[in-house]
Amino acid sequence: MRDLLLAKGYEVHYQEFAGAVRNDLLSTVLVWRFDRFARSTSHLHKALEEFNKLGVQFVSLTENIDTATPTEKLVFTILGAVAEMERAIIVERVKAGMTRAKQAGKDIGGWRATRLDGRPRGYRKPSPPNPELLAQVHRLHNKNLSLRSIAEEVKRSHTLVAKLLKIKVA
């Protein structure tokens, strides 16, 4: 839903949305899934209470829930609690899996300052250039060819050609 609104040129911010509800600019709040609207049952209930006080209807497309009737409010509450429980179970399982992976000595992600061999990350020992390629690039450069022309001739990138030209030939 958010993607659809953004594609149509709308920018959705919760504070602006809440302000529009409070200023009586909206009659209905339409959400794709209500668990995407709120992260906890208590937040969902607080929002629903505020909507009811303001006479704003809350509708979920995928759950087909319209909070206009008491029965649908009950279903809404139950599904909100189930969604919150699902999120808590997922978090619990992820944490348990990470703990198990750590105990097994596996890398569970994150950034290391150094590689396993002790070198700093991002550091790569440069390999020496091919002497024939280096000589050929310098010869072509001495003929006043452009970097791109030299790159096409030697079938290499113009960036590599520029780096090779910085190296002095004996």
Side-chain angles (χ1 to χ4, degrees):
M1 181 64 122
R2 181 181 181 84
D3 295 337
L4 180 67
L5 290 171
L6 290 174
K8 297 250 184 211
Y10 294 103
E11 181 110 3
V12 182
H13 294 287
Y14 183 77
Q15 295 302 326
E16 292 173 13
F17 162 76
V21 169
R22 288 187 192 100
N23 293 330
D24 204 25
L25 298 173
L26 300 174
S27 62
T28 304
V29 173
L30 177 68
V31 295
W32 180 252
R33 287 183 52 113
F34 65 85
D35 64 340
R36 302 301 303 151
F37 175 75
R39 291 289 178 201
S40 69
T41 310
S42 62
H43 181 252
L44 213 49
H45 276 287
K46 287 176 188 173
L48 185 58
E49 285 175 21
E50 187 170 353
F51 294 156
N52 285 338
K53 285 179 195 172
L54 298 170
V56 175
Q57 199 174 8
F58 186 82
V59 180
S60 171
L61 286 176
T62 54
E63 287 91 9
N64 198 20
I65 295 175
D66 180 355
T67 59
T69 67
T71 305
E72 290 172 342
K73 287 179 187 174
L74 173 67
V75 172
F76 174 79
T77 303
I78 292 169
L79 289 176
V82 169
E84 187 176 349
M85 182 189 73
E86 284 177 350
R87 260 191 306 280
I89 288 172
I90 289 169
V91 167
E92 190 177 286
R93 286 180 181 164
V94 167
K95 287 181 180 178
M98 289 174 70
T99 302
R100 201 172 322 116
K102 273 185 186 178
Q103 289 171 348
K106 293 183 181 176
D107 183 19
I108 58 168
W111 188 83
R112 286 196 195 116
T114 59
R115 296 175 184 258
L116 295 175
D117 62 2
R119 291 181 296 146
R121 272 196 162 285
Y123 171 78
R124 185 172 61 88
K125 189 175 182 180
S127 56
N130 178 342
E132 295 93 27
L133 177 64
L134 183 61
Q136 184 182 9
V137 166
H138 278 279
R139 265 195 315 274
L140 292 170
H141 184 65
N142 290 337
K143 292 182 181 178
N144 292 326
L145 290 174
S146 69
L147 286 179
R148 293 203 186 265
S149 300
I150 297 170
E152 288 174 12
E153 182 76 27
V154 297
K155 295 181 175 59
R156 298 291 198 274
S157 71
H158 70 278
T159 308
L160 176 64
V161 169
K163 287 179 183 177
L164 290 173
L165 288 172
K166 290 180 182 177
I167 300 172
K168 301 292 182 205
V169 178

